[in-house]
Amino acid sequence: MPPAVSDAGRRRPAVVAARPERTKLKGSENLLPKTMAAVLLTGHGGLEKLEYRTDVPVPRPKKGEVLIQVAAAGINNTDVNTRIGWYSKVITSGTGEGGSAGFDTVDDADATWTGKALEFPRIQGADACGRIADVGEGVSRDRIGERVLVRNMLRTPVDYQPFACWTFGSECDGGFAQFTVAPAAETYAVRSDWSDEELAAVPCAYSTAENMMHRAAVGVERVLVTGASGGVGLAAVQLAKRRGATVIAVCSASKAADVMAQGADQTVDRSADVISALGGGSVDVVIDLVGGPQVSRLLDLLRPGGRYAIAGAIGGPVAEIDLRTLYLKDVSVFGCTFQEDEVFENVIKYVERREVRPVVSRTYPLKAIARAQEDFLTKRHLGKLVLIPPAPTA
């Protein structure tokens, strides 16, 4: 359960955070292996497109980059969506329909975050926790050994252009490997005594949820979170509660008690009609991670002047809404992908101050990624599933 809320509405750290971990790694002795284990995405499609190999060249950090020995890598919806080409506008169904086998028809040209064709093979993995094993030109070697997290929505490759998205594990190789490279400026040392698996559950889920809080300016008000038992959903519950909100969580009845334990004040069964359960105009902010046919009812749920933020549509990317609801109620709609720099930086601070904490339901060896994604698609778990790469050998 998250720590108790102080009178000021912010969570007190449970203990003083640990100093940054530094571990002597092979990179510091120039003993890095030449090849590594990694999962290569070979094209858009089913689970057969995930190829586990042990002969992939270990990347070398370029100027301004660091090489990270990956300790753990979280699984996210974006990994599945990218694999199956769900971002392509020709796909109109939810993620689950093509999650295992893929879709019959995908337009490769627009099947990514950026709307441009993905380059294959690609090492996916938006979440990576590990230790710096080597550094490129211009980066202090004092950083070798730091335990780090990588900002999943990278800004350096797009020269910090507003609304330009360059996703770790999509537009460049990510964390489903023993080693990965990332911009040094966007690789953050973390002062925490959490496990590697817990830290690997943070970057994508918590930055996505914090971005929604930031864009919708969530405060001391009534906030509804859909998909509340998943990684991003639980993060949103914790982060909204951190801001002093009264949190209503939409989840299955079997997970209601667990979601309440993470800070929700009330739950609504995901099969229920939200208007019947809560009443129209009863919520200030909707944090929607599901999309699909329920969007119209979620807009009806908002009070006049309410805000609707969306950052996922696993329930389906196409929704029918009544535009009169938007303009007659002065509803603000926020599509949330691009993240201001402060969003990820704030997440690191929350972790170090123990103001939030992820739930990791299960871990898998990296080579079991197909089984892990199959389990992920069932949505029977709470929070996050995490992959563990094998220890490298010289």
Side-chain angles (χ1 to χ4, degrees):
M1 180 182 296
V5 179
S6 70
D7 294 337
R10 294 183 180 273
R11 302 182 189 279
R12 303 186 187 94
V15 297
V16 176
R19 295 180 63 82
E21 290 189 35
R22 290 181 182 274
T23 305
K24 193 172 185 180
L25 300 174
K26 291 178 180 177
S28 63
E29 301 172 352
N30 295 317
L31 294 176
L32 288 167
K34 291 183 172 57
T35 59
M36 66 178 181
V39 176
L40 301 183
L41 178 66
T42 59
H44 294 301
L47 292 166
E48 77 282 352
K49 296 295 185 179
L50 297 171
E51 182 180 341
Y52 179 79
R53 291 175 52 176
T54 58
D55 61 349
V56 178
V58 172
R60 294 293 185 254
K62 299 176 183 176
K63 183 177 180 180
E65 293 183 336
V66 295
L67 176 70
I68 301 165
Q69 181 178 316
V70 179
I75 293 177
N76 295 284
N77 276 307
T78 185
D79 304 319
V80 177
N81 288 338
T82 297
R83 170 173 57 78
I84 64 179
W86 180 87
Y87 294 111
S88 174
K89 294 297 179 63
V90 303
I91 306 300
T92 59
S93 59
T95 301
E97 292 190 28
S100 292
F103 293 104
D104 292 335
T105 303
V106 172
D107 184 354
D108 290 350
D110 71 339
T112 63
W113 290 66
T114 61
K116 298 179 181 178
L118 194 68
E119 295 182 9
F120 298 107
R122 172 65 70 222
I123 298 173
Q124 293 186 278
D127 286 339
C129 171
R131 289 165 177 78
I132 294 180
D134 201 1
V135 298
E137 179 186 348
V139 182
S140 172
R141 293 192 68 81
D142 288 344
R143 296 203 63 183
I144 292 176
E146 288 180 355
R147 190 161 70 143
V148 294
L149 292 176
V150 179
R151 183 180 2 222
N152 54 293
M153 195 66 67
L154 295 173
R155 306 282 288 115
T156 304
V158 292
D159 196 26
Y160 289 82
Q161 298 175 61
F163 301 105
C165 298
W166 191 276
T167 310
F168 190 62
S170 177
E171 280 63 55
C172 63
D173 287 343
F176 291 165
Q178 288 175 306
F179 293 91
T180 188
V181 293
E186 301 186 87
T187 301
Y188 293 79
V190 183
R191 298 164 177 83
S192 173
D193 59 1
W194 294 0
S195 68
D196 294 330
E197 293 85 351
E198 287 176 300
L199 287 178
V202 169
C204 189
Y206 280 83
S207 68
T208 298
E210 175 66 10
N211 191 41
M212 298 173 84
M213 303 293 144
H214 177 75
R215 297 280 285 276
V218 170
V220 183
E221 51 196 336
R222 284 171 61 83
V223 176
L224 180 125
V225 178
T226 67
S229 63
V232 183
L234 281 183
V237 169
Q238 293 178 7
L239 290 166
K241 197 66 182 175
R242 179 195 166 277
R243 290 170 176 248
T246 298
V247 182
I248 305 163
V250 179
C251 61
S252 63
S254 63
K255 297 176 183 175
D258 290 325
V259 174
M260 292 280 286
Q262 295 301 312
D265 297 283
Q266 179 181 352
T267 62
V268 176
D269 189 271
R270 67 181 184 182
S271 63
D273 178 76
V274 290
I275 301 299
S276 299
L278 301 171
S282 62
V283 168
D284 299 293
V285 182
V286 168
I287 301 296
D288 190 12
L289 303 164
V290 177
Q294 69 169 347
V295 172
S296 178
R297 301 297 277 172
L298 295 175
L299 294 175
D300 288 336
L301 193 66
L302 288 168
R303 63 161 174 82
R307 289 101 72 204
Y308 171 84
I310 184 165
I314 61 171
V318 179
E320 182 178 281
I321 64 173
D322 189 329
L323 294 174
R324 291 166 294 191
T325 303
L326 295 181
Y327 75 80
L328 291 176
K329 292 177 65 174
D330 288 294
V331 169
S332 297
V333 177
F334 300 92
C336 301
T337 295
F338 170 77
Q339 299 173 9
E340 299 286 354
D341 295 344
E342 65 193 271
V343 169
F344 195 80
E345 292 161 6
N346 284 341
V347 168
I348 297 296
K349 293 174 184 176
Y350 303 157
V351 169
E352 292 185 334
R353 297 197 299 251
R354 290 174 169 257
E355 296 177 0
V356 296
R357 190 156 192 168
V359 174
V360 176
S361 289
R362 189 174 179 184
T363 64
Y364 302 76
L366 180 62
K367 65 182 178 181
I369 186 172
R371 177 162 56 89
Q373 286 198 5
E374 285 182 318
D375 290 348
F376 180 86
L377 287 163
T378 68
K379 302 300 180 186
R380 296 193 185 107
H381 63 283
L382 186 77
K384 297 279 285 188
L385 304 180
V386 175
L387 296 169
I388 308 297
T393 57

